[in-house]
Amino acid sequence: MASLTLFEKLWNTHLVSGLGEGMDLIYIDRVFLHERTGSIALKGLAEKKRSLRRPESTFCTIDHIVDTLPGRTDETRVAGGKAFIQTTRKSAREAGITFFDIGDERQGIVHVISPEQAIVLPGLTLICPDSHTCTQGAFGALAWGVGSTEAEHAMATNTLRVEKPKAMQVVFNGELAKGVTAKDMILYLIGKYTVAGARGYAVEFCGTAVTSLDMEARMTLCNMAVEFGAFTGIIAPDSTTINYLEGRPYAPTGENWQNALKDWQNLKTDKKAVFDKKITIDASNIQPMITWGTNPGQVMAIGTQVPDPSPMKDSHRREESEKALGYMGIDPGMYLNELAIDGAFIGSCTNSRLSDLKKAGNILKGRKVAKGVRAICVPGSSSVKRQAEAEGLDRIFKDAGFEWRESGCSMCFFAGGESFGFQERVVTSTNRNFESRQGPMTRSHLASPETVAASAILGRIASSKELTNGTL
Amino acid sequence: MEPFKKIKAVSLPLMWINVDTDCIIPSREMKQVSKTGLGDGLFAGWRYKDMSSREIDPDFILNDKKYHDAQILLSGINFGCGSSREHAVWALVEYGFKAILAPSFGSIFYNNCICNGLLPIVMSDADITLLADWVVRDPRKNQLVINLVKQIISGPEIMAFHFDIAPQDKEMLLKGFDMIDLTLQSQDKITAFEEKDKKNRKWANSL
Ligand code: SF4
C-alpha cells in the first residue's frame, strides 16, 4: 500500500467523489455554528426552503457577541446584537439542531466546547463558519473554517466542494525551555515564515515538543494555523488524545469506542510518506514571544529590539511594517519591555482553557495588577469557569485585580460593543492583533497567558521570567 | 448569482499586503442578520475619519473621485486573510467590485468569492504592480478588460495577461450557478457514500 500522510488518510476517508482538476466532494461529519455567522447560514437555508440533511450532526452555540458580564441576558452592547442572538435561537430550534444557549452549562466558545463535549473526534471532518475551526485539528480531525454559504452547503448536503490542499509537515524537535508555551511556538513559527507561510497547505505538527504538549496546549498550537495561512493544522492522535476524550458526553461508548480506538491507531503519517513541504524547528531555541505589529507574523522574542523596516528589501513588507509601527506607536530599535500598558486580556479560543488560567494564576497569586491597568479574564467556556471556581482560581484573579467574566469571545474582537479604549495598549492572549480588533485603534500585543499576567502585574510588557526568576 | 462574463472597468489599486477581512469589513459594521446593508461598511476603518461618524477620510484611495465607480481591485499578497466572515465578500460585491487581483488570497475568502460571483484572480506581484502603475497614470482612461471565458486581462496600450482559474470555479462564475443546487444533483453519490460509511465507521455515525 502506498505511504500516506495523516492528512491524505483523512481526506481519502471522506472522499465522496472527485470533481476533477484537484477539486473533490468531501463528506462532512459535523457542523458547528455560532450566532455571528451561523445565524446567517441558518437563515439562508430557511429562505431557500432547504432542510438539513442530518440535523443530529449539527451544533450551535452563543459565544461571539453575547455579553460576558455577570447576570447576562440576550441584551448586549453590540449594535443589533440582540437580534443575532434571538434569530439564532429561533432558527436553531426550527432546524432541530443541538443548541448550547446562554445559561446552558455547556455554553462557551465554539472551539473550546466542541472538544469538551467530544463533538470533535479523531478521524472526523468538522466545519464551522469560523476561521479558528482549525483549533480542533489538535484531535487528529480534519477541521477547518468556511464561509456562511459553505456552511449552508454542508448542512444541506453533508458535503463540501474543496480544492485539495498540499501537505506540510512542521516538526518541533527538542524540549521547550521553562516558561515557554505552545503560544510562543506558533508565534515563533509565523514570525519566521510569515502569515502567508502555509498558504495552500494542510499542516501537520509533529516532533517531541508537540507530542509532549497536553491537549489544551495542542489546541493553542493548531488554533493559529489559520494565522499561518494554512488550510488547517492537525496533530496525530495518541494516548494523550484518547485519555482526554474518553467518557466525555459525545464520545462513542462500548463497542463503538473500541472500534474507534482501532481506527484511530491508523491515524498517523506513514514512515515513508512524502510531504510537499517540510519545516524543522529546534524548540529549545524558542523564547517567550510578543507581537509588535498588526499581524501575528510581526512578532519578536520579548527582550529583543523592534526591527527596523528601513533596510528591508521587499518594498511591500517595508511599507507594511512602517504602517504597523505607526499604528502601534512604536519606534524601530525599541525594547518593548519599556512600554506601559493600559489593558491585559486573558481569554479567547487560543488561550482560555483551565490550564491557561492555572498558568496565569500561578503568576498572579499574591500579587496585584499595576495601577491604571484594566485586566480581564474571560474563561473559554461555562465549564472552564465552573472548574476554575471549584479550584479557587477566580479568587486569585479577583484578588489580583482582574475582572472575572462569564464565558464567550468577549474582547477578543470588537463588534461595536464593549472594548478597550482609543489607542490603548493591550497585552492579550488572543490570536489577532489586527487594527481595531479589540477596540477603536486599540494596540494589541499577542502573547501567552503567562506573559499577559506578568505584564498586568508590572504595568508594562514583561515576560513571566521577570517575576519568577526571583528578581522581584 | 449573476453570471460573470466580461467586464471593462476602472481599477482601484490598494497595494498593501495581508489585507485582512477585519479591515475589509470591521465586525462593528455587521449590524444585522443579513447578507446586505454592508457596502457602506466596506473598509470602514480606513474610509472614515473615526468610528462614530461617517466623515470621509480624503486620503484613503476609495474616497478619491477618480475611482468612485471602480469594479476591479488590485492588491498585495494574502488578500482576505483572517476571519472567515463572508460579509467581507458581500460588502465588496455590494460596493460594486466584480473582480480582485492579488498574488494570493486567504483560502476561506477565495471560496467565499466563488460562492458570490466575485472573481478572484491570482497574478504575480510584478504583473499586478505593472498594472497598478499603468492604472494610476490615468484611472478613468486606463480601464482594464477582464475576459473570464478566455482568462485574459488586457487594456489599451498594455500587453494581455493570461490568468489561471480552476475549471469548476470558472464554470460556477460563468454560469452563475448556485453551488448547493449543483451538489444536490449528486445526491445519489452522497447517499451511496453514507451507506458504506455507516458500516465502516459506525462509531462516527452514532450520534
Ligand atoms: S475567541 Fe476570538 S478568535 Fe476565537 S472564535 Fe471567538 S472571536 Fe473568534
Side-chain angles (χ1 to χ4, degrees), chain A residues 95-146:
Chain A
I97 64 178
T98 305
F99 182 52
F100 306 117
D101 205 345
I102 305 169
D104 188 311
E105 59 177 26
R106 302 166 297 176
Q107 178 275 344
I109 303 173
V110 45
H111 316 304
V112 178
I113 65 171
S114 175
E116 279 177 359
Q117 296 296 319
I119 290 167
V120 63
L121 294 170
L124 296 185
T125 45
L126 181 149
I127 61 102
C128 171
D130 189 283
S131 58
H132 292 102
T133 309
C134 53
T135 311
Q136 304 183 45
F139 287 83
L142 197 60
W144 74 99
V146 298

Side-chain angles (χ1 to χ4, degrees), chain B residues 4-10 71-72 96-99 119 143-148 152 154:
Chain B
F4 186 110
K5 294 230 155 62
K6 188 174 161 184
I7 59 168
K8 176 169 189 261
V10 171
Q71 293 182 7
I72 301 166
F97 285 111
K98 296 209 158 54
L119 171 63
Q143 300 198 5
L144 286 171
V145 177
I146 301 179
N147 184 327
L148 178 57
I152 281 173
S154 57

Side-chain angles (χ1 to χ4, degrees), chain A residues 151-434:
Chain A
E152 284 178 46
H153 188 287
M155 286 190 278
T157 70
N158 269 358
T159 64
L160 272 182
R161 312 165 77 87
V162 208
E163 194 177 336
K164 188 176 177 183
K166 290 178 279 184
M168 183 193 290
Q169 186 184 38
V170 175
V171 188
F172 285 98
N173 284 323
E175 221 177 294
L176 289 176
K178 203 168 164 283
V180 179
T181 67
K183 179 66 159 284
D184 303 304
M185 289 165 78
I186 189 70
L187 284 173
Y188 178 88
L189 176 71
I190 301 171
K192 194 153 179 204
Y193 295 93
T194 83
V195 290
R199 240 206 53 78
Y201 291 93
V203 175
E204 182 180 346
F205 295 106
C206 337
T208 46
V210 174
T211 48
S212 57
L213 296 174
D214 63 24
M215 280 321 295
E216 300 196 348
R218 290 183 192 184
M219 286 188 245
T220 302
L221 190 64
C222 289
N223 175 268
M224 292 187 69
V226 66
E227 262 65 58
F228 187 31
F231 170 77
T232 190
I234 347 170
I235 296 173
D238 58 10
S239 56
T240 307
T241 323
I242 291 163
N243 291 340
Y244 176 98
L245 290 170
E246 191 170 11
R248 289 185 182 259
Y250 288 91
T253 51
E255 200 187 325
N256 279 334
W257 176 253
Q258 294 309 327
N259 288 331
L261 290 182
K262 253 183 247 156
D263 277 9
W264 297 347
Q265 274 175 12
N266 185 36
L267 288 179
K268 51 177 181 262
T269 292
D270 296 330
K271 280 220 173 67
K272 288 187 181 153
V274 183
F275 287 88
D276 299 293
K277 190 171 176 182
K278 185 171 170 172
I279 289 174
T280 307
I281 287 169
D282 181 355
S284 61
N285 283 338
I286 302 174
Q287 293 171 49
M289 305 291 286
I290 186 116
T291 59
W292 53 264
T294 53
N295 76 46
Q298 294 173 326
V299 66
M300 56 191 253
I302 303 179
T304 59
Q305 281 174 292
V306 174
D308 180 4
S310 53
M312 287 184 189
K313 281 197 204 86
D314 178 341
S315 65
H316 290 310
R317 211 157 282 291
R318 186 172 61 241
E319 277 166 34
E320 184 197 37
S321 302
E322 283 164 353
K323 187 165 170 275
L325 287 173
Y327 177 90
M328 295 297 289
I330 291 174
D331 298 323
M334 225 177 193
Y335 289 95
L336 289 187
N337 311 49
E338 297 162 5
L339 281 178
I341 59 166
D342 307 292
F345 184 82
I346 294 179
S348 89
C349 56
T350 322
N351 281 122
S352 65
R353 299 175 182 85
L354 193 63
S355 58
D356 297 313
L357 305 196
K358 275 188 187 162
K359 285 181 203 150
N362 284 341
I363 291 159
L364 297 175
K365 199 167 182 178
R367 296 193 168 104
K368 292 266 181 239
V369 169
K371 239 176 121 192
V373 174
R374 183 175 183 208
I376 301 171
C377 176
V378 187
S381 70
S382 298
S383 154
V384 168
K385 180 171 181 264
R386 272 196 313 279
Q387 287 176 59
E389 288 172 355
E391 295 189 17
L393 274 170
D394 59 323
R395 281 257 59 92
I396 295 177
F397 274 89
K398 284 190 260 187
D399 287 348
F402 265 77
E403 293 175 38
W404 182 254
R405 297 293 190 98
E406 296 291 334
S407 92
C409 298
S410 187
M411 278 185 251
C412 168
F413 83 124
F414 164 51
E418 233 192 326
S419 74
F420 289 100
F422 181 72
Q423 288 193 339
E424 279 185 359
R425 193 172 300 287
V426 181
V427 184
T428 174
S429 77
T430 54
N431 47 37
R432 285 191 177 137
N433 49 342
F434 296 159

